[in-house]
Amino acid sequence: MMEEKYPFHAIEPKWQKYWDDTGAFRCDTQDVSRPKFYCLTMFPYPSGHMHVGHGRNYIMGDVITRYKKMMGYNVLSPMGWDSFGLPAENAAKKFNVHPHKWTIENIQEMKRQVRSWGVGYDWEREIATCHPDYYKWTQWVFLQAYKLGVAYQKEAPVNWCPLCTNLANEEVTADGRCDRCGRPVEKKNLKQWFFRITQYADRLLKDLDLLDGWPEKVRQMQANWIGKSEGAKVSFKVTETGDDCPVYTTRPDTIFGVTFMAIAPDNPLLLKLLPGSEKEAEVRAFIEKLANIPASERFSDATAKEGVFTGFHVTNPYNGDTDIELWVTNYVVSDSGTGIVMAVPTHDQRDWDFATKYGIAKKIVIQNAEKTLDVATMTAAYVDDGVLVNSGSFDGMANREAIKAIIADGTAKGYAEATTNFRIRDWNVARQRYWGAPIPIVHCPHCGAVPVPEDQLPVRLPDDVDYNGDQGNPLARHEGFVNTTCPKCGAPAKRETDTLAQWLCSCWYFLRYIDARNETAAFDKELADKWMPVDQYIGGVEHAVLHLLYSRFVVKILNDAGALDCVEPFKALFTQGMICKRCEKDDGKYVKGKLYKMSKSVGNVVSPDELIETYGADTVRLYTLFIGPPELDAEWQDAAVQGPYRFLCRLWKKAYDAKAIVPEQDVAVAIDALKPVERDLYRKLHQTLAGVTDSIEHGFRFNTAIAQLMELMNALDKAKIDASSSDAAKALLRETIVTVARMMAPITPHIAEEIWQAYGCTPAGVMNAGWPKVNEAALKEDSLQIILQVNGKMRGKMMVPAGISKTELETLALDSADVKRFTDGQTVAKVIVVPGKLVNIVVK
RNA sequence: GCCGGAGUGGUGGAAUCGGUAGACACGACGGACUUAAAAUCCGUUGCCGAUUUAAAGGCGCAGGGGUUCGAGUCCCCUCUCCGGCACCA
């Protein structure tokens, strides 16, 4: 029995329970009768409550999951929690609650929210990265990397945030602040665990080509991040001492134009040359000055180039020039290349600026095609292609050719080699924090760093730590944890007290879902080979570099370890846009009326709970999907939620009213018995079906899919089918309502299920009915609308029979009154006929 | 600076094979129902356009040029906004 008023309060919990009870989203990974589809939404950090912006992510994943199920796939759609990490530890300090308790409570709350949206997951595969059954295998992943020599320890300057301890490069913002808390980041020397991502840089770059299901933007961002450049390493020598002075350059073709050498203030060669040298005091003063300027400021555009001559000279191996001055400067980046740059003022703008300021010589070595370059008249560096001059035996050579020739010559003579340079640095995976997976290493006074044997995993995180201490890692203060014996020699030893970065926990979770309850392995290889890669990954673009790059990296490690066949984890990636809302306050920091992404600090957060209470989950889903193109940011407008709500109320009322007059079962529609307006509706129904399918298949354009469904409902109103209508019309009415329910099953699943059930459709559960098929007969058009143009301007329309010939169409068009008004007294020069579309008459 | 994306009514956005610009929705305005309001339903809604009504017609997709019978869509130039990388040699 259907109620008259749209009873979302009653039907939504009912159907959510039904999906649970029937295991609608449980996935049998062994099933081979259907093709697999692994649909994954990025798992959340359990930070508290979710807002409607988070919902967009899960709702889209759910629509795809349900749609793919209806298309006949065996869909794996799991959910879990990225539950290690700093916020829990900070909350623990703030509220004096154990991080574990805080995390578990947040998970419960967020799970309730996800379920209230009607999002379906295989909850039997639920994971939490802070659970020993999970982090045991995170530790295992670390050991695989260790075995391959990918994990290693080194003393290194780390990015140190006073609150969040050490950070990966990826966690430091462009202006040198902590990505998480915004505090300025300092450099601090610590012994750290690193992963050799640099060793994989080339593969990570090259395999981006395999990812044609990824947005171009994300591939570009990763390529930028990896930052590959090709050039040469050339050994200059310090003229006075004979020390090596290697440079990296991408422009070896300009090597005969080197007029000075620029070195970074903290370069080891400089520090070696300095003691007792003539200009020591002056140079040290400059180094001191730079040390007190934060990197963000030093390397900003606005900072002028500065430098001090060191008193030393270098020798260019190509032309034997011994008088090249060595300058210490503020603009050379110390950890890029060799930290020493050969400067060619005429062909590099930065070197030009510096040489101009300090009166250093400039020498042209690449001449343009017009041969107009002259140092006396040049006002900026010439960086384009040209022909070599003043370059010894290479004169006359095109510069692109010269690059290869000069490297080859230098290589033969032993002072140059072709090299590749990467921007990316090795990944610091260690954190001096409590709430993370302990690094499974024991430090033995005799054996050094010893990996914990796999059969002794997990290395458990103790519960009883004093995380309220104000200094350093609480784990290091836990005697019971720290003191152990060496797995190799049995002597007393100390555990590593650093924990693994949250990023490492979250870069392999998609593998665990496949085999989430496996107690003897991280995952079964055969099963993983069957289910990987993830067919569709969905998440925010803010993870374009960090999480997605690390995940790709770890999959390659596991592949090298023989644990996995696949080389890329995510076949297709969809990055959904953020939900923003206009700011209502004006407090200096935020501007009233400006769009900001939803956040507590802006105060523009919309909670799903009240909306679901007022309008129901289906309305929230429908509005969230209708709000705009899914890949773009969208503006949330509270008032606009009305539209989708009205639509569902209308759909419900239509279904309710129609129930009384339609046949009890599906009946084939007798096309010939339909009135024209009904015939239009039938066509529209199947056009909509084709259109909705296309919208979902091509770029998940849910917004236009929904618009088409709205149009169909408008057409249904227009057809005015009632008790007095023909049997054919009533059969059509039933088919329309039932097909709309099926098409809406992925989008607004509760109302779809309810209508499906109320209409007595089989099989039970609308998703089990599969995706409806287009009826070609319904699509057939008897007559077509033709647009009439004169000189490309629209001047009228006319209806013509569908099968009309081109000539007939042309004659009809020329005779039409709309056209004649504009062609009378003019000469028809040309007639363009686009069959089925338009006729354009060109007159003079 | 390099790379990527975007610019369409009062608003969110349609139209990506060159062929009716503004679908669909919000908001606004008018009407019906109602004692009244809400809800609902029905209209109107890009701009200019006779001092009255309606029309004719013109103008309109950041700006300028081009190709074409025809351009939001293709090509060239310019501007603005968003994102990534960046004194990376």
Side-chain angles (χ1 to χ4, degrees):
Chain A
M1 278 298 285
M2 287 182 85
E3 284 178 50
E4 186 168 357
K5 200 166 176 297
Y6 172 40
F8 59 85
H9 273 126
I11 63 175
E12 291 184 348
K14 170 183 148 189
W15 287 107
Q16 286 166 18
K17 184 169 184 304
Y18 172 85
W19 299 322
D20 277 348
D21 292 348
T22 57
F25 294 93
R26 216 172 291 146
C27 176
D28 175 6
T29 46
Q30 304 286 356
D31 180 3
V32 290
S33 65
R34 292 170 296 163
K36 70 101 182 177
F37 191 89
Y38 189 174
C39 181
L40 183 66
T41 307
M42 287 180 186
F43 68 163
Y45 184 83
S47 54
H49 308 274
M50 294 203 249
H51 56 64
V52 292
H54 300 112
R56 194 183 201 189
N57 210 6
Y58 308 114
I59 291 166
M60 288 196 328
D62 191 49
V63 178
I64 295 166
T65 295
R66 290 173 186 265
Y67 173 76
K68 288 291 176 182
K69 273 180 171 291
M70 292 178 82
M71 292 297 284
Y73 289 90
N74 183 21
V75 181
L76 172 58
S77 171
M79 181 59 163
W81 312 96
D82 184 13
S83 53
F84 264 145
L86 192 70
E89 209 163 339
N90 288 344
K93 286 181 189 166
K94 199 168 159 193
F95 306 116
N96 195 28
V97 53
H98 195 281
H100 182 261
K101 184 166 182 275
W102 184 85
T103 301
I104 296 301
E105 283 172 3
N106 285 343
I107 288 176
Q108 279 167 354
E109 166 64 6
M110 285 169 70
K111 191 168 173 179
R112 180 192 65 74
Q113 287 190 301
V114 169
R115 294 171 77 105
S116 74
W117 272 309
V119 174
Y121 294 114
D122 184 350
W123 286 107
E124 290 180 13
R125 296 172 187 278
E126 181 180 4
I127 54 158
T129 58
C130 68
H131 197 283
D133 286 348
Y134 182 88
Y135 71 67
K136 171 181 181 176
W137 302 111
T138 304
Q139 292 170 341
W140 173 84
V141 170
F142 176 90
L143 292 178
Q144 303 317 299
Y146 185 84
K147 269 194 271 183
L148 289 168
V150 169
Y152 70 100
Q153 251 184 318
K154 72 171 174 190
E155 174 104 5
V158 297
N159 305 300
W160 186 265
C161 165
L163 180 68
C164 309
T165 74
N166 65 325
L167 307 173
N169 289 331
E170 288 82 346
E171 292 173 300
V172 181
T173 61
D175 62 346
R177 290 174 174 277
C178 173
D179 195 26
R180 191 142 237 154
C181 71
R183 287 175 175 77
V185 173
E186 310 153 25
K187 290 277 178 190
K188 197 169 173 177
N189 258 329
L190 283 177
K191 201 164 189 189
Q192 300 286 316
W193 286 96
F194 283 84
F195 271 21
R196 266 184 235 282
I197 197 169
T198 48
Q199 211 170 66
Y200 284 70
D202 236 338
R203 276 162 76 186
L204 287 166
L205 182 66
K206 203 154 92 234
D207 286 355
L208 285 173
D209 292 343
L210 305 173
L211 303 176
D212 52 8
W214 283 40
E216 181 55 30
K217 178 187 180 179
V218 175
R219 291 200 276 177
Q220 281 292 339
M221 282 166 77
Q222 292 211 354
N224 277 345
W225 189 262
I226 294 167
K228 181 177 180 169
S229 73
E230 290 188 88
K233 201 166 149 183
V234 180
S235 299
F236 285 62
K237 295 258 189 244
V238 178
T239 309
E240 289 81 1
T241 65
D243 281 301
D244 262 335
C245 180
V247 301
Y248 170 76
T249 177
T250 56
R251 292 294 303 274
D253 51 328
T254 64
I255 201 143
F256 287 81
V258 176
T259 57
F260 70 101
M261 190 64 73
I263 190 163
D266 52 350
N267 189 281
L269 172 64
L270 178 66
L271 302 178
K272 184 188 168 206
L273 292 174
L274 226 40
S277 67
E278 186 193 337
K279 308 240 176 192
E280 180 174 1
E282 209 178 320
V283 172
R284 286 209 192 273
F286 183 69
I287 294 173
E288 188 76 13
K289 182 180 147 197
L290 291 186
N292 292 321
I293 299 171
S296 52
E297 204 176 303
R298 196 182 128 197
F299 293 109
S300 100
D301 281 343
T303 308
K305 289 172 186 58
E306 281 190 288
V308 172
F309 175 47
T310 61
F312 291 94
H313 298 81
V314 297
T315 304
N316 185 340
Y318 279 88
N319 60 5
D321 183 354
T322 56
D323 284 335
I324 299 165
E325 293 182 348
L326 179 65
W327 286 68
V328 53
T329 71
N330 65 341
Y331 74 93
V332 174
V333 180
S334 60
D335 60 355
S336 171
T338 62
I340 310 171
V341 175
M342 64 174 224
V344 185
T346 43
H347 304 297
D348 182 287
Q349 190 56 44
R350 296 156 299 185
D351 301 343
W352 175 276
D353 294 343
F354 191 87
T356 305
K357 180 168 177 180
Y358 291 101
I360 298 168
K362 297 167 182 162
K363 182 178 164 195
I364 291 169
V365 288
I366 305 225
Q367 187 54 262
N368 64 14
E370 298 79 34
K371 307 237 188 295
T372 57
L373 295 181
D374 179 356
V375 172
T377 56
M378 279 168 84
T379 54
Y382 177 79
V383 295
D384 297 327
D385 289 335
V387 172
L388 268 66
V389 293
N390 300 321
S391 297
S393 59
F394 301 99
D395 279 358
M397 199 179 270
N399 72 306
R400 302 266 171 164
E401 291 303 309
I403 290 175
K404 292 175 221 155
I406 287 175
I407 295 174
D409 182 60
T411 305
K413 292 172 180 159
Y415 45 73
E417 60 173 319
T419 52
T420 305
N421 203 40
F422 291 97
R423 200 200 77 99
I424 196 169
R425 295 285 167 266
D426 276 346
W427 174 22
N428 183 338
V429 297
R431 299 289 182 272
Q432 289 74 48
R433 296 176 200 155
Y434 164 63
W435 193 235
I439 293 177
I441 292 284
V442 170
H443 296 286
C444 170
H446 314 293
C447 314
V450 179
V452 174
E454 288 180 20
D455 60 11
Q456 288 175 27
L457 298 181
V459 175
R460 280 185 180 269
L461 192 63
D463 287 332
D464 53 338
V465 294
D466 168 25
Y467 46 77
N468 275 319
D470 47 348
Q471 281 296 311
N473 180 2
L475 207 48
R477 297 194 293 268
H478 191 286
E479 299 282 322
F481 177 81
V482 173
N483 295 314
T484 184
T485 51
C486 173
K488 215 161 152 185
C489 72
K494 304 246 181 233
R495 283 198 191 281
E496 171 64 62
T497 58
D498 284 1
T499 53
L500 291 166
Q502 186 185 350
W503 299 111
L504 190 70
C505 305
S506 61
C507 64
W508 74 279
Y509 75 116
F510 41 88
L511 292 162
R512 185 63 179 169
Y513 279 142
I514 292 169
D515 200 8
R517 299 293 170 257
N518 192 329
E519 289 179 8
T520 58
F523 49 86
D524 177 70
K525 178 171 185 293
E526 208 174 303
L527 215 48
D529 289 342
K530 180 183 168 200
W531 278 88
M532 287 298 286
V534 170
D535 294 276
Q536 184 64 56
Y537 199 24
I538 304 147
V541 74
E542 66 272 19
H543 294 111
V545 173
L546 303 154
H547 166 66
L548 290 166
L549 187 66
Y550 292 153
S551 297
R552 296 180 57 224
F553 173 38
V554 165
V555 160
K556 287 179 196 304
I557 293 173
L558 293 177
N559 178 281
D560 287 353
L564 197 61
D565 281 353
C566 85
V567 293
E568 281 292 337
F570 313 121
K571 187 174 165 193
L573 172 70
F574 191 88
T575 52
Q576 95 282 359
M578 277 181 312
I579 299 239
C580 304
K581 199 176 177 220
R582 298 205 181 271
C583 179
E584 283 170 18
K585 64 180 179 186
D586 206 341
D587 60 0
K589 192 172 177 195
Y590 301 107
V591 183
K592 188 171 178 170
K594 206 179 151 187
L595 272 184
Y596 292 96
K597 74 172 189 178
M598 280 189 186
S599 79
K600 270 189 208 152
S601 49
V602 186
N604 60 352
V605 168
V606 176
S607 159
D609 296 342
E610 291 146 51
L611 278 172
I612 290 175
E613 180 59 28
T614 314
Y615 298 106
D618 278 341
T619 295
V620 175
R621 293 172 65 111
L622 191 61
Y623 176 58
T624 303
L625 294 163
F626 185 57
I627 196 165
E631 71 281 10
L632 299 182
D633 289 352
E635 180 190 342
W636 183 277
Q637 295 180 322
D638 289 322
V641 181
Q642 285 292 335
Y645 179 65
R646 281 184 200 137
F647 172 71
L648 292 182
C649 290
R650 274 174 67 204
L651 169 65
W652 180 265
K653 184 158 193 323
K654 203 80 203 171
Y656 174 83
D657 290 344
K659 181 83 172 29
I661 60 170
V662 297
E664 300 250 317
Q665 310 222 307
D666 295 349
V667 177
V669 176
I671 295 185
D672 295 340
L674 294 175
K675 294 197 291 194
V677 67
E678 295 161 355
R679 182 69 189 86
D680 288 344
L681 171 63
Y682 196 30
R683 188 179 306 110
K684 182 80 180 172
L685 171 62
H686 285 271
Q687 280 171 346
T688 303
L689 177 52
V692 167
T693 311
D694 185 68
S695 293
I696 296 176
E697 291 285 344
H698 297 104
F700 305 125
R701 284 151 31 218
F702 305 120
N703 54 329
T704 53
I706 292 164
Q708 291 171 80
L709 287 161
M710 287 172 167
E711 279 185 67
L712 175 61
M713 285 304 290
N714 293 343
L716 179 59
D717 279 343
K718 219 164 152 190
K720 292 197 193 331
I721 301 172
D722 57 25
S724 65
S725 299
S726 66
D727 287 348
K730 288 174 183 167
L732 168 61
L733 178 57
R734 181 183 170 92
E735 184 177 325
T736 305
I737 303 259
V738 162
T739 309
V740 166
R742 273 165 88 179
M743 285 192 278
M744 293 189 61
I747 298 167
T748 53
H750 311 86
I751 194 174
E753 291 277 20
E754 189 67 22
I755 292 172
W756 186 253
Q757 187 188 50
Y759 273 63
C761 300
T762 52
V766 65
M767 277 192 294
N768 298 319
W771 192 248
K773 290 191 173 54
V774 174
N775 179 348
E776 295 297 331
L779 288 179
K780 237 186 88 201
E781 307 257 11
D782 310 319
S783 58
L784 300 167
Q785 189 191 58
I786 300 294
I787 300 303
L788 300 172
Q789 292 184 337
V790 177
N791 289 347
K793 278 195 196 302
M794 217 262 288
R795 296 301 185 188
K797 306 167 190 183
M798 65 178 183
M799 295 303 295
V800 300
I804 193 168
S805 76
K806 242 178 145 171
T807 352
E808 283 172 304
L809 191 56
E810 187 174 328
T811 315
L812 278 174
L814 286 167
D815 282 349
S816 125
D818 286 334
V819 167
K820 280 190 161 162
R821 287 175 44 223
F822 293 91
T823 53
D824 270 357
Q826 317 237 41
T827 322
V828 174
K830 201 171 170 186
V831 179
I832 285 127
V833 180
V834 183
K837 270 252 171 78
L838 66 79
V839 180
N840 183 18
I841 291 137
V842 186
V843 292
K844 274 188 215 160

